């Protein structure tokens, strides 16, 4: 098992303008913040599929913030020129204050916040959001490649 395998990595590759996930992972490392799976969130009554709710099939995963903050504190961000934080909870675990699709710089590493690419986020339902995410990711990738040409590190998502 690898983090982000399947549709999530396909979305990231497509946003980056790449042929497939293999090309994306040639540019980025990947890791889950937590080393264990906390399980799915309970479905809200207002989002019951049996009652006609159709926006998404999952409410996402439980995210234990204290454990995530402890794990984030152990990550050596200085190894990376760019770190794509996938999901607002992950960004909060790292203490990032930047907004979605924006980067915060720490010690030379750019921490870029994206919605999680799993599809649970309603962000991905809007074509304008997808287009913006693609522009931002492609721009960051170009900048990362330029920095790498000058000896900078790989990216991480």
């Amino acid at each position: 098992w690898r983090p982000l395998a399947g549709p999530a990595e396909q979305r990231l590759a497509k946003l980056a303008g790449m042929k497939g996930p293999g090309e994306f992972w040639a540019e980025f490392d990947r890791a889950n913040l937590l080393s264990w799976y906390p399980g799915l969130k309970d479905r809200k009554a207002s989002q019951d599929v049996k009652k006609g709710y159709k926006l998404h099939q999952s409410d996402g995963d439980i995210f234990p913030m204290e454990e995530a903050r402890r794990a984030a504190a152990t990550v050596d961000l200085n190894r990376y020129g760019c770190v794509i934080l996938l999901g607002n909870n992950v960004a909060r675990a790292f203490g990032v204050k930047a907004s979605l699709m924006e980067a915060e710089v720490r010690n030379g590493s750019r921490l870029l916040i994206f919605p999680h690419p799993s599809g649970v986020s309603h962000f991905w339902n809007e074509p304008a959001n997808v287009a913006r995410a693609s522009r931002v990711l492609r721009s960051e990738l170009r900048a990362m490649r330029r920095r790498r040409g000058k000896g900078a590190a790989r990216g991480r998502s």
Side-chain angles (χ1 to χ4, degrees), residues 6-104:
E9 68 183 345
Q10 292 166 7
R11 182 187 303 268
L12 290 169
K14 185 175 180 182
L15 289 170
M18 297 175 172
K19 293 176 186 170
E23 191 177 349
F24 187 81
W25 297 127
E27 298 280 352
F28 290 94
D29 292 339
R30 61 176 146 182
N32 266 346
L33 187 53
L34 299 173
S35 62
W36 53 282
Y37 178 61
L40 287 172
K41 288 181 187 175
D42 289 332
R43 182 132 249 193
K44 297 175 186 174
S46 63
Q47 296 177 343
D48 189 339
V49 175
K50 293 175 187 169
K51 295 179 183 175
Y53 184 80
K54 297 178 183 173
L55 287 180
H56 58 269
Q57 298 299 312
S58 171
D59 292 328
D61 298 332
I62 295 168
F63 195 85
M65 187 57 76
E66 288 309 311
E67 288 94 336
R69 284 186 176 127
R70 283 194 295 275
T74 69
V75 176
D76 180 9
L77 297 173
N78 297 325
R79 294 180 47 209
Y80 300 98
C82 175
V83 178
I84 303 173
L85 303 174
L86 299 173
N88 286 325
N89 282 331
V90 172
R92 280 193 284 279
F94 278 92
V96 173
K97 304 291 187 219
S99 299
L100 203 58
M101 300 289 139
E102 293 182 3
E104 181 174 304

Side-chain angles (χ1 to χ4, degrees), residues 76-148:
D76 180 9
L77 297 173
N78 297 325
R79 294 180 47 209
Y80 300 98
C82 175
V83 178
I84 303 173
L85 303 174
L86 299 173
N88 286 325
N89 282 331
V90 172
R92 280 193 284 279
F94 278 92
V96 173
K97 304 291 187 219
S99 299
L100 203 58
M101 300 289 139
E102 293 182 3
E104 181 174 304
V105 178
R106 288 195 193 158
N107 299 324
S109 294
R110 292 177 52 78
L111 308 180
L112 181 63
I113 304 170
F114 260 57
H116 197 280
S118 64
V120 172
S121 171
H122 291 229
F123 177 91
W124 301 113
N125 295 344
E126 294 294 326
N129 290 344
V130 174
R132 179 175 177 225
S134 183
R135 283 191 309 273
V136 169
L137 183 56
R138 289 174 192 209
S139 175
E140 189 63 39
L141 188 56
R142 284 189 301 273
M144 192 175 79
R145 287 172 174 159
R146 282 192 305 272
R147 289 189 301 270
R148 190 180 312 138

